[in-house]
Amino acid sequence: MRVESVRGMRDILPEEARLWQALEAEIRSLVELYGYREIRPPLVELAELFSRGVGEATDIVHKEMYVFPDKKGQMLALRPEATASVVRAYIEHGLYAKGDLAKLYYIGPMFRYEKPQKGRQRQFHQYGVEALGSLDPALDAEVIDLAWHLMERVGLSREALVLRLNSIGCREDRPAYREALRSYFSARKDELCSDCQRRLEENPLRILDCKEPQCQSAIAGAPQSLDYLCEGCRKHLEELRGMLGDLGLAYELDPRLVRGIDYYTRTVFELCSRELGAQDALLGGGRYDDLVELLGGPPTPGVGFAGGMERLVLVLSQHRPANTASPALDVYVIPIGEEARKRALAILAQMRRKGVAADLDYMGRSLRKMMSVAARQARYALFLGPDELAQDRLTLKNLASGESRTLPRSEFLAHPQRFLS
Ligand code: HAM
């Protein structure tokens, strides 16, 4: 019987993987330009990290997390997101000790047991940045600028995107806001789905990100966090809005945006595609000024975002025609005859040591078949036949222009790149 991949977890095959590699390279080079350095936390953490960090009442922890005991009964989780892991590592390795701002980025798989659909999977990949150590709204602006810049860099136009921004206040504002939500929703309890009735007890803020149609009319009239901001939070938001204006970054203030994670304070934002349909958030993030302390570290503010690689690939594939990829190989070696084939192995090995992407037929194909593989996979064909052997030369054919030239073997192998412009 055939064994298939797990629902919601898919293979990224070589053709598509090339696009992923190019995107990952763009992301790395850009975030490094902003001073971020890579961190690679493990995929498995103690489940408690997320129940405390992300929040027990969130869908991510309550419904979607892959949790399992190890052989000693310790409860582990496949990470559903990486902010909590980065903060755990930040505390565990004392990265705060130097008193500097820590700017960290990651790219890797995350796991959530969600209902799979276009743009939503159970294993998906995020790229993300986290800046720990400053309360300055200029850092929020920089993080948002980075998010915009990244989208432009990979080829999305500003018109295709919308930035949604909100402030959900700090822990001083939260009790009054939570009370306002609780009393508002308690009066409408009968209109709420069973999950939201539970949320009403645990954390009424989480009702605001419920997607059930039955809850939407109650949600529409709910009190808004913007009306409960303290002076400090109001000033933070106003300063940030001014800076986004100075940077020429458009945004929509969206009082309904709360994001589905408990650690946020003050700024929250999402950058959405106007073309993606229901799962339209390309990336999301915000401030989390209490998370380091909540997880046992010294009080340290933080801000960051993460985006979904799959969603980026989806919108990009709507913009870029599929077959514009250049061939994977520089050179396909075509030996003619047994003797040539033996020599070809050494030539291939030497080319690769000079940094040339090269390959050879291992399937016993005919000359004609080898030519057609070369045309599909390489920029050049390198022929090695009886004439070439006799003269110690090689024939190099440019497969785009059809031009051929015969060169001394040693001259070509000394500097192959010179002949492969
Ligand atoms: P999040 O909004 O849960 O935030 O996820 C960020 C992004 O990951 C989403 O905007 C989406 O593009 C992608 N994503 C989430 N779930 C899925 C899924 N099931 N399938 C495909 N893509 C998905 C966070 O995870 C926070 N840690 C972001 C953050 C970093 N906040 C501060 N720092």
Side-chain angles (χ1 to χ4, degrees):
M1 203 183 72
R2 221 165 53 147
V3 179
E4 297 191 342
S5 61
V6 173
R7 182 164 142 82
M9 307 200 180
R10 63 182 199 90
D11 302 302
I12 298 159
L13 297 176
E15 265 315 290
E16 195 188 340
R18 290 185 72 198
L19 174 59
W20 281 63
Q21 287 174 351
L23 279 177
E24 285 165 8
E26 291 275 13
I27 292 167
R28 284 176 198 284
S29 76
L30 189 69
V31 301
E32 284 174 14
L33 214 63
Y34 281 67
Y36 289 84
R37 294 190 307 149
E38 189 178 10
I39 180 165
R40 300 190 184 197
L43 306 193
V44 174
E45 299 272 3
L46 292 176
E48 184 195 350
L49 174 67
F50 302 108
S51 46
R52 274 171 54 196
V54 171
E56 198 75 70
T58 61
D59 277 356
I60 296 180
V61 169
H62 188 81
K63 294 186 178 171
E64 299 165 1
M65 197 154 72
Y66 284 87
V67 182
F68 54 95
D70 70 5
K71 293 199 187 294
K72 288 202 167 147
Q74 199 168 217
M75 290 313 282
L76 305 179
L78 291 181
R79 64 178 186 191
E81 62 106 52
T83 309
S85 299
V86 170
V87 167
R88 192 234 354 103
Y90 175 83
I91 298 167
E92 192 166 326
H93 303 286
L95 301 185
Y96 47 82
K98 291 191 195 126
D100 285 342
L101 189 65
K103 285 180 148 184
L104 304 165
Y105 80 90
Y106 48 86
I107 303 181
M110 311 290 156
F111 304 85
R112 295 182 193 175
Y113 194 79
E114 292 190 84
K115 198 161 173 221
Q117 63 179 78
K118 191 173 166 208
R120 194 161 80 191
Q121 291 175 218
R122 290 181 176 172
Q123 175 176 322
F124 60 100
H125 298 73
Q126 280 185 349
Y127 52 91
V129 299
E130 312 293 349
L132 292 137
S134 169
L135 274 169
D136 191 341
L139 191 59
D140 308 34
E142 189 196 83
V143 162
I144 292 173
D145 174 55
L146 170 55
W148 268 114
H149 193 167
L150 205 55
M151 296 301 110
E152 287 163 16
R153 178 89 163 247
V154 300
L156 295 177
S157 73
R158 286 197 178 195
E159 295 69 43
L161 304 170
V162 53
L163 177 75
R164 302 205 171 96
L165 179 73
N166 192 18
S167 172
I168 57 166
C170 63
R171 63 178 156 194
E172 272 75 49
D173 320 340
R174 201 58 59 80
Y177 182 45
R178 194 173 286 158
E179 236 2 89
L181 287 173
R182 189 166 278 137
S183 76
Y184 171 85
F185 283 118
S186 295
R188 290 163 186 79
K189 197 167 175 183
D190 298 344
E191 298 170 38
L192 300 176
C193 70
S194 57
D195 273 332
C196 282
Q197 297 192 4
R198 169 181 57 80
R199 291 173 182 131
L200 186 55
E201 304 310 317
E202 291 177 358
N203 183 357
L205 224 88
R206 293 279 70 87
I207 297 176
L208 300 175
D209 41 53
C210 179
K211 299 287 176 289
E212 285 297 320
Q214 127 178 38
C215 302
Q216 299 314 307
S217 72
I219 290 173
Q224 300 181 352
S225 57
L226 286 177
D227 296 326
Y228 292 81
L229 299 185
C230 64
E231 199 38 47
C233 290
R234 198 178 304 280
K235 188 159 164 270
H236 188 95
L237 178 62
E238 283 321 306
E239 286 181 13
L240 172 59
R241 294 178 68 177
M243 289 166 189
L244 294 178
D246 293 342
L247 288 166
L249 300 175
Y251 61 89
E252 287 174 8
L253 196 63
D254 179 356
R256 302 256 152 254
L257 181 71
V258 285
R259 310 226 346 101
I261 299 178
D262 282 354
Y263 52 60
Y264 290 114
T265 51
R266 296 191 164 174
T267 312
V268 287
F269 63 92
E270 280 181 2
L271 196 55
C272 300
S273 161
R274 297 189 194 272
E275 297 161 8
L276 268 185
Q279 303 300 315
D280 66 348
L282 284 170
L283 58 86
R287 258 198 181 274
Y288 44 89
D289 293 339
D290 301 328
L291 183 60
V292 179
E293 196 179 357
L294 182 76
L295 294 176
T300 312
V303 56
F305 71 80
M309 286 292 292
E310 282 80 2
R311 292 191 192 173
L312 200 53
V313 168
L314 257 174
V315 275
L316 286 177
S317 55
Q318 287 169 8
H319 284 257
R320 291 182 186 174
N323 275 336
T324 51
S326 55
L329 294 174
D330 298 317
V331 175
Y332 197 74
V333 181
I334 302 186
I336 303 160
E338 247 337 279
E339 186 54 30
R341 196 183 149 78
K342 280 187 206 151
R343 299 275 194 89
L345 277 180
I347 292 171
L348 190 61
Q350 287 180 57
M351 274 196 289
R352 288 171 172 162
R353 279 168 178 72
K354 297 273 182 188
V356 176
D359 215 342
L360 175 71
D361 171 57
Y362 293 100
M363 309 298 287
R365 289 192 174 97
S366 67
L367 177 59
R368 196 173 57 80
K369 288 258 173 64
M370 284 194 275
M371 290 285 292
S372 91
V373 174
R376 262 185 287 127
Q377 297 189 356
R379 296 192 295 125
Y380 290 86
L382 189 73
F383 294 95
L384 187 60
D387 290 350
E388 281 88 358
L389 283 182
Q391 297 165 18
D392 204 13
R393 292 169 82 86
L394 300 165
T395 298
L396 186 67
K397 180 175 182 182
N398 181 323
L399 293 167
S401 69
E403 247 173 83
S404 283
R405 59 199 289 204
T406 301
L407 303 155
R409 183 178 57 93
S410 56
E411 193 182 318
F412 174 72
L413 289 177
H415 302 286
Q417 305 284 11
R418 281 191 195 158
F419 303 94
L420 305 171
S421 56

